[in-house]
Amino acid sequence: MTQVTEHGGGVWSLRVPIPDNPLGHTLVHVLDTDRGPVLVDTGWDDPASWDELTGGLDTLGLSVREIHGVVITHHHPDHHGLSGRVREESGAWIAMHAADTAVVRRTRESEPGTWFDYLARKLATVGAPEDHIAPLRAARAAGRMRTLPGLRSALPDREIVPGELLDLAGRRLRAIWTPGHTPGHVCLHLEEEHPSRLPGHGRLFSGDHLLPGITPHIGLYEDPDDVTGTDPLGDYLDSLERIGRLGVAEVLPAHQHAFTDAAGRVRELLDHHEERLTGLLALLATPLTPWQLAERMEWNRPWAQIPYGSRNIAVSEAEAHVRRLVKLGRAEPVAGADPVTYIAV
């Protein structure tokens, strides 16, 4: 059964499933405007997800053909996957921050196999064992790269400009750039009185930036051409503090459930990452590669039980934390080490 939640004031959320993913679903938000309904995110590109999205709209007395626009918090396929199909059915515009649009464009224009080649090189650099890298090479040789999600994600028609109000008739929805989870992640501040008059300044569509019970993945921005040494964790922590200062009455995230006390949740996340950085410094008393760090970090299950794909995510998160320590002058790479190795200073 389609699950629809009314949040009041012309806002609803639809639970759109993510196939074979422990998160379970994406909360796609529907925002009523004077020109027609606008979606905040769309869900994964999958037939069952499409059926749930359109079924949820039908429960609200809406057709997907009535969708006026789509605002994307970030480019990941559980948020942006169905955007192109919504646009095909309705003629709706799609809006996204320029940094994530660049990711979508780069992915669409890349030669087949580029992603597998990049990931194999990257994993070798950070110390992954050969038996972990071999399946990537086999997948590339077999041509399985064509099945990766996001290879043909829709290019947006509009740019979300940080700090500006989106062009939504009858609504005040302001874009807040919150990089970290992705380089172009945005939260969307609905600058209107809460329909239940909860204390605070409006409501926040937080995407994956601020979630009530889980910590979003913060890994390195995956870009084969990046030579700038980006700092996603630093970006995320700075973005969190900006969100904490908004004083919103309620947060409408893309996963789990709506919640209040955004400032309290921000403090919890800031403390969590500070504890994680402190733990990594202790581990780096001995020189370690990012892969070795990931093996020793605390996750939601023992390393031996972490699935193959999730290990790639884990090592990227270890890299992001090490890069933050390097930026802070608290760790440094060991000169001449191959694979790359870090030590606390």
Side-chain angles (χ1 to χ4, degrees):
M1 181 177 294
T2 300
Q3 298 190 53
V4 178
T5 301
E6 181 175 2
H7 297 283
V11 178
W12 300 263
S13 60
L14 315 177
R15 291 166 61 100
V16 177
I18 310 171
D20 302 318
N21 189 294
L23 275 176
H25 61 270
T26 302
L27 293 175
V28 173
H29 290 92
V30 183
L31 179 64
D32 190 26
T33 80
D34 291 347
R35 295 197 190 106
V38 168
L39 300 182
V40 178
D41 293 333
T42 57
W44 192 279
D45 185 6
D46 179 81
S49 305
W50 176 256
D51 289 345
E52 288 290 310
L53 176 64
T54 55
L57 291 171
D58 184 64
T59 299
L60 297 176
L62 299 171
S63 164
V64 70
R65 292 185 295 276
E66 299 175 67
I67 299 301
H68 172 61
V70 176
V71 183
I72 298 300
T73 61
H74 61 294
H75 72 83
H76 286 164
D78 56 323
H79 296 258
H80 182 44
L82 285 171
S83 302
R85 188 165 179 187
V86 170
R87 182 168 60 188
E88 290 171 6
E89 295 284 339
S90 64
W93 47 262
I94 301 173
M96 182 184 286
H97 186 281
D100 272 18
T101 297
V103 176
V104 172
R105 181 173 288 108
R106 183 179 68 240
T107 303
R108 289 172 57 93
E109 294 174 354
S110 294
E111 290 296 320
T114 297
W115 169 252
F116 281 106
D117 292 341
Y118 161 66
L119 189 54
R121 289 194 306 271
K122 179 174 177 291
L123 286 168
T125 299
V126 300
E130 178 56 33
D131 62 359
H132 184 85
I133 303 172
L136 291 171
R137 298 196 176 106
R140 195 222 192 288
R144 292 203 298 272
M145 73 287 296
R146 300 181 189 278
T147 65
L148 284 172
L151 289 180
R152 291 294 175 263
S153 295
L155 279 170
D157 328 274
R158 298 187 181 185
E159 180 180 340
I160 296 176
V161 180
E164 292 191 1
L165 289 170
L166 278 74
D167 182 20
L168 302 183
R171 309 307 298 247
R172 288 184 60 84
L173 189 67
R174 192 177 302 277
I176 303 171
W177 184 32
T178 51
H181 185 56
T182 71
H185 191 291
V186 293
C187 293
L188 302 155
H189 188 193
L190 190 58
E191 299 177 339
E192 301 169 8
E193 184 178 39
H194 192 280
S196 299
R197 298 186 182 275
L198 294 180
H201 305 293
R203 292 180 280 180
L204 186 76
F205 298 104
S206 66
D208 281 2
H209 185 70
L210 193 62
L211 303 169
I214 54 178
T215 305
H217 165 66
I218 308 297
L220 295 189
Y221 300 140
E222 303 292 3
D223 181 356
D225 302 318
D226 176 35
V227 294
T228 62
T230 56
D231 181 16
L233 182 55
D235 292 345
Y236 179 66
L237 298 176
D238 290 344
S239 301
L240 270 180
E241 291 184 343
R242 289 201 303 275
I243 291 300
R245 292 192 292 267
L246 284 177
V248 296
E250 188 177 26
V251 180
L252 303 175
H255 303 288
Q256 297 191 303
H257 54 82
F259 64 100
T260 57
D261 192 17
R265 181 60 180 147
V266 164
R267 286 192 299 271
E268 290 175 355
L269 289 167
L270 291 173
D271 289 346
H272 164 79
H273 284 287
E274 184 57 38
E275 290 172 6
R276 191 133 214 180
L277 290 169
T278 300
L280 261 66
L281 275 176
L283 290 172
L284 288 173
T286 301
L288 295 172
T289 67
W291 184 272
Q292 291 169 330
L293 264 178
E295 289 179 315
R296 290 160 173 78
M297 289 170 69
E298 289 189 15
W299 306 103
N300 61 0
R301 68 190 82 178
W303 182 258
Q305 297 175 20
I306 295 178
Y308 177 90
S310 297
R311 291 188 179 192
N312 296 335
I313 295 172
V315 75
S316 182
E317 190 154 321
E319 287 182 279
H321 281 74
V322 170
R323 186 167 291 182
R324 174 92 287 248
L325 290 172
V326 171
K327 295 279 186 181
L328 293 171
R330 298 163 73 182
E332 64 183 15
V334 176
D338 184 19
V340 61
T341 302
Y342 294 90
I343 190 167
V345 295

